Amino acid sequence: MRRPNILLTAVYLSLTVLCGHLSLGTPGVGKSTLGKELASRTGLTYISVGDLAKEEELYEGFDEEYECPILDEDRVIDELEDKMREGGVIVDYHGCDFFPEHWFHIVFVLRTDNSFLYDRLESRGYKGKKLQDNIQCEIFQTLYEEAMLSYRKEIVHQLPSNTPEDLERNLDQIVQWIEQWTKDNN
Ligand code: DAT
């Protein structure tokens, strides 16, 4: 049976900020919360690129300013290729422009209002420049634009991710979409 691949993505600014996230955990818009719950409700496989990079040490150097390793994007792609071909994968990452476009059948950009995001990031220990960069990035809608440039516009969707009610609504919508996709493609 064919199953869809789904990308959950969020705040994105630049390579240096990206690798900052790798060492501290990703910005708190709710990708892993949504991705894991979605996997448990649908049987799809949840993959966090940040965690995978840590486990397999998929890095190509060290960023001195942010004191963290730099993601080796080519090795991440090699590592995921076979699973993506099989299908049924939910990928969680805070960037989206280096994945092959054909991997994903749908892309969700999670959006959290800055008042909520500030508290979530601060409680994770984000401070100073890293905190400001991430908040600013959300203000400027950077990742949504990145996603719209990297994928066909019709498959990129923004989802509000502020409250538990948003989470439940997003789960319902995505589960419905998966059921329809599976019917249409089998
Ligand atoms: P990410 O994977 O994008 O870094 P997360 O899933 O770890 O984010 O969530 C960060 C925190 O926010 C965590 O404490 C759970 C909480 N959270 C996630 N989605 C939420 C939602 N829709 N409403 C309220 N809190 C949420």
Side-chain angles (χ1 to χ4, degrees):
M1 187 174 69
R2 290 191 69 208
R3 295 186 306 166
N5 290 325
I6 298 171
L7 175 61
L8 300 179
T9 186
V11 184
Y12 173 86
L13 188 59
S14 69
L15 183 67
T16 44
V17 177
L18 272 186
C19 81
H21 302 158
L22 289 175
S23 61
L24 284 177
T26 53
V29 296
K31 299 182 305 301
S32 67
T33 307
L34 177 65
K36 285 174 187 167
E37 185 56 30
L38 195 58
S40 93
R41 291 190 192 186
T42 60
L44 267 56
T45 304
Y46 168 80
I47 295 178
S48 154
V49 170
D51 290 349
L52 179 74
K54 243 181 241 165
E55 282 157 23
E56 305 291 330
E57 299 200 8
L58 306 176
Y59 302 124
E60 59 172 3
F62 195 80
D63 187 285
E64 298 296 340
E65 185 186 355
Y66 285 90
E67 298 186 336
C68 64
I70 297 169
L71 190 70
D72 186 333
E73 298 176 348
D74 292 339
R75 284 179 61 212
V76 169
I77 289 171
D78 288 348
E79 195 75 27
L80 289 176
E81 187 77 61
D82 288 349
K83 288 196 186 75
M84 301 308 294
R85 203 172 304 119
E86 269 172 39
V89 181
I90 302 163
V91 172
D92 163 352
Y93 195 53
H94 47 269
C96 67
D97 59 347
F98 68 92
F99 299 119
E101 189 188 346
H102 69 268
W103 272 8
F104 297 106
H105 303 98
I106 198 155
V107 175
F108 294 105
V109 181
L110 272 62
R111 301 298 309 267
T112 300
D113 292 348
N114 288 305
S115 51
F116 293 95
L117 192 62
Y118 197 96
D119 291 345
R120 288 189 204 165
L121 293 180
E122 214 181 15
S123 71
R124 284 188 170 188
Y126 277 50
K127 286 188 284 226
K129 180 166 163 46
K130 201 186 295 280
L131 182 59
Q132 293 310 329
D133 280 350
N134 278 288
I135 297 290
Q136 240 184 11
C137 163
E138 195 49 17
I139 292 169
F140 292 139
Q141 299 208 8
T142 316
L143 186 76
Y144 182 60
E145 283 156 25
E146 190 78 51
M148 293 290 271
L149 289 173
S150 304
Y151 299 91
R152 284 184 297 116
K153 289 185 178 51
E154 312 85 84
I155 73 161
V156 178
H157 303 273
Q158 293 198 66
L159 295 175
S161 181
N162 297 311
T163 63
E165 292 73 30
D166 288 340
L167 174 64
E168 204 49 48
R169 203 176 317 113
N170 294 338
L171 283 163
D172 285 347
Q173 280 179 11
I174 303 176
V175 168
Q176 269 184 26
W177 178 87
I178 292 170
E179 284 168 359
Q180 192 59 48
W181 190 97
T182 309
K183 262 192 216 148
D184 294 345
N185 289 276
N186 287 284

